[in-house]
Amino acid sequence: MPVVAIIGAQWGDEGKGKVVDMLAEKSSMVVRFAGGDNAGHTVINPMGLFKLHLIPSGIFYPNVTCVIGNGVVVNPRSLIAELDMLAGKGVDTRRLVISDRAHLIMPYHTLLDELEEKSRGKKAIGTTLRGIGPAFTDKTARMGIRVGDLLDKRSLKHRIKTVLENKNVILERIYGAPPLDCEEMYAEYAGYADKLKPFIKDSVELISSAMERQELVLLEGAQGAMLDPDFGTYPFATSSSPLSGNASLGSGVAPNRIDRVLGIYKAYCTRVGSGPLPTELNDEMGDRIREVAQEFGTTTGRPRRCGWFDGVAARFSAHVNGFTGAVITRVDVFDNFPSLKVCVAYRIGEKEISYFPSSISELEKCQPVYEELPGWQADTTGVRKWEDLPKEARNYVTRLSQLMGCPVNLASIGPERAQTIEVSPIF
Ligand code: IMP
């Protein structure tokens, strides 16, 4: 059985949680490989409605081991709250594994995220304020504290003391904020260590033995490709790579062992936080999409910015990720729209371009060139077969596939597992 990476193809919130929850049925392992509790994966299944931030969306199956991979930054407080929430709803979480190589989000990370955002004023990124940027900065700067450090309390205390000496200088001298107390932080994290110890393991061996047994392993992404620090709308980006390349780095599965890369696209575009969204609709149509689709952030509750499907960004995303196939989610949102637009190119002044510019100032000048397609004005939520979808809905999905330059494997027409239509086989 193969290894399949599941990647957010736009600006996040494409519905990866539903796809992972669905595909996990046949898998033995789901590995989250990037981000932290900035992510919000909504899963609706026979056990209820769940909003997951850190725990992989395969946790609902008794046969699936769920790994928080080395590429994730873990806020232990959020993780414990999530474990308690799941236990309260009767979900068995004993098959959770946290990589000892994953980094910890510390109290100074969340504090610095907030202080940095405030200091940016009108140029704020609109982060989730979960400490993600500062935690990945520390990882790269070799100042991070890893999940594995929780297993040795003496060295944990020493590490907190050393790092805090540096952080307190920044807090006091740059931001005029009060310093943080080492003993208090150690006591808090020692408490987390006691709770999380049973889950902390070397995940690399575990994943490779599942692969050796020929079991299906899913690599679950977070955020979306257009928030990538290299290929997204930098600096309006997140701080770990949501791309398929990082599915390898963030899990320890070598690139040549990943058999399929599935790009998850919504039938339209959304974005939370600041930064370019070329097809954004600041009008009644944008409000209508937001209302019909209930586009409000899972993690922060913020209203999401909405716009038509962006074929230029979609093609770029398919290219940098190497998608072998795509899933189009939320097709049903358009059930009552008389006509739909898709962006097929950008116009800057007199010039038409078909590439996704790297510079923010160029992106801000881009005007979408639209193609209009007829709507289907019929309820698709009960459809289960591709050929039973209205012709206009099939044409819409087919057009998106042409623009992305990769086949569509699945189309989703509602939040439930069963509300999924196979367009072409994944394998
Ligand atoms: P950060 O990841 O909290 O640093 O936020 C950086 C940017 O990424 C902000 O615009 C966030 O709104 C956005 N972002 C982070 N996580 C998600 C997500 O899971 N879905 C959508 N946007 C996200």
Side-chain angles (χ1 to χ4, degrees), residues 41-62:
H41 294 172
T42 305
V43 175
I44 299 176
N45 60 30
M47 301 181 85
L49 182 149
F50 300 88
K51 289 176 192 286
L52 300 174
H53 300 284
L54 275 167
I55 297 179
S57 310
I59 197 70
F60 306 98
Y61 295 97

Side-chain angles (χ1 to χ4, degrees), residues 11-13 266 268-272 277 295 304-307:
W11 281 269
D13 310 311
K266 244 183 316 211
Y268 48 91
C269 285
T270 62
R271 172 165 202 160
V272 271
L277 180 66
E295 288 290 356
R304 296 182 184 138
R305 300 157 58 195
C306 297

Side-chain angles (χ1 to χ4, degrees), residues 179-208:
L180 296 172
D181 183 70
C182 175
E183 289 300 327
E184 213 175 286
M185 200 177 295
Y186 168 70
E188 183 185 345
Y189 276 68
Y192 297 147
D194 294 336
K195 288 199 172 130
L196 296 178
K197 201 173 166 187
F199 301 105
I200 303 173
K201 291 183 187 133
D202 178 342
S203 54
V204 178
E205 275 299 306
L206 202 72
I207 302 168
S208 73

Side-chain angles (χ1 to χ4, degrees), residues 11-13 38-41 113 125-130 132-133 222-223 227 236-239 271-274 299 302:
W11 281 269
D13 310 311
N38 51 348
H41 294 172
D113 198 358
I125 293 165
T127 74
T128 57
L129 301 177
R130 297 293 192 272
I132 306 299
Q223 290 81 48
L227 292 170
F236 299 98
T238 189
S239 298
R271 172 165 202 160
V272 271
S274 317
T299 300
R302 291 178 287 180

